């Protein structure tokens, strides 16, 4: 059991590392798009010249950003969650809700993967190109896009597996650290609750 936990912990660390670097890379791509858009606006206004493909590639980058950003947001516990009443629940109930949420994320993530891979494979097999002057082969941006969603689903699966192992061991602190709220919904209430329960999780 301990060997399995250690293995999954290593996987969680790898998921966090890859997701962080992917987020940084996508951030740089987004910054490049901003620069391209600025140059496009300046070129049209001052030089009467337009750069072809800026809007097209900006769209690709935003699609890739939405896919790859999910895994980083997941491991950093930054997704928006409705926390009405969450902070008032006992530790076991909060852990159960956290487990339910990560299982729901897995369901959504894998459904996206199941439906996005045929889009990519169809574009690849049909040699589909964008209906733009650049005629970009659509399988190229779609490959990066679908890889981002696949990585998100894998990251969610690793987090869910580690959280389930923690649940089996009665380790609610690990569940909270991995998949709980990224912040205390109400720090004063959380402090009062911990004081009332003797500071136990």
């Amino acid at each position: 059991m301990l060997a399995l936990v250690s293995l999954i912990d290593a996987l969680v660390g790898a998921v966090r590392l890859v997701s962080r670097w992917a987020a940084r890379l996508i951030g740089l791509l987004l910054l490049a798009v901003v620069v391209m858009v600025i140059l496009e606006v300046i070129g049209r206004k001052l030089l009467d010249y337009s750069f072809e493909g800026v809007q097209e590639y900006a769209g690709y980058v935003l699609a890739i950003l939405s896919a790859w950003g999910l895994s980083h947001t997941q491991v950093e516990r930054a997704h928006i969650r409705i926390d009405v009443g969450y902070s008032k629940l006992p530790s076991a109930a909060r852990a159960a809700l956290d487990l339910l949420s990560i299982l729901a994320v897995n369901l959504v993530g894998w459904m996206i993967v199941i439906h996005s891979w045929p889009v990519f494979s169809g574009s690849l097999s049909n040699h589909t190109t964008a209906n733009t002057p650049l005629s970009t082969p659509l399988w190229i941006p779609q490959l990066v896009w679908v890889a981002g969603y696949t990585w998100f689903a894998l990251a969610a699966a690793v987090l869910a597996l580690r959280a389930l192992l923690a649940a089996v061991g009665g380790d609610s602190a690990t569940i909270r650290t991995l998949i709980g709220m990224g912040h205390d919904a109400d720090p004063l209430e959380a402090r009062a609750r911990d004081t009332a329960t003797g500071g136990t999780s």
Side-chain angles (χ1 to χ4, degrees), residues 16 20 37 91 113 122 131 138 140 172 185:
R16 181 168 281 113
R20 182 179 298 129
V37 170
S91 178
V113 170
N131 188 20
L138 287 179
I140 298 174
S172 60

Side-chain angles (χ1 to χ4, degrees), residues 92-172:
R94 282 182 281 132
L97 286 176
D98 291 335
L99 288 171
L100 181 62
S101 71
I102 193 63
L103 293 176
V105 166
N106 269 271
L107 176 62
V108 172
W110 287 107
M111 288 298 292
I112 293 174
V113 170
I114 289 170
H115 288 89
S116 61
W117 274 102
V119 174
F120 160 72
S121 62
S123 295
L124 181 61
S125 61
N126 296 328
H127 306 288
T128 308
T129 59
N131 188 20
T132 62
L134 296 180
S135 297
T136 304
L138 287 179
W139 70 267
I140 298 174
Q142 286 176 354
L143 175 61
V144 185
W145 169 74
V146 76
Y149 280 125
T150 304
W151 179 252
F152 166 60
L154 289 171
V158 169
L159 291 177
L161 181 57
R162 182 62 184 92
L164 288 172
L165 288 174
V168 170
D171 187 1
S172 60

Side-chain angles (χ1 to χ4, degrees), residues 21-37 54 57-66 68-69 140-141 144-145:
W21 280 102
R24 290 172 179 172
L25 178 58
I26 296 301
L28 290 176
L29 287 177
L30 187 60
L31 183 61
V33 166
V34 171
V35 172
M36 288 170 59
V37 170
V54 172
Y57 287 122
Y60 297 149
V61 169
L62 290 177
I64 292 168
L65 171 69
S66 68
W68 279 97
I140 298 174
V144 185
W145 169 74

Side-chain angles (χ1 to χ4, degrees), residues 21-93:
W21 280 102
R24 290 172 179 172
L25 178 58
I26 296 301
L28 290 176
L29 287 177
L30 187 60
L31 183 61
V33 166
V34 171
V35 172
M36 288 170 59
V37 170
I38 291 173
L39 292 177
E40 164 76 4
V41 172
I42 293 174
R44 276 189 296 170
K45 295 296 183 182
L46 301 181
L47 306 176
D48 197 27
Y49 177 81
S50 179
F51 298 98
E52 286 189 355
V54 172
Q55 291 181 342
E56 179 180 350
Y57 287 122
Y60 297 149
V61 169
L62 290 177
I64 292 168
L65 171 69
S66 68
W68 279 97
L70 288 173
S71 60
H72 178 66
T73 308
Q74 177 65 45
V75 297
E76 297 299 331
R77 299 180 300 154
H79 281 135
I80 296 173
R81 289 175 58 179
I82 300 172
D83 54 13
V84 176
Y86 179 89
S87 62
K88 298 177 174 62
L89 295 174
S91 178

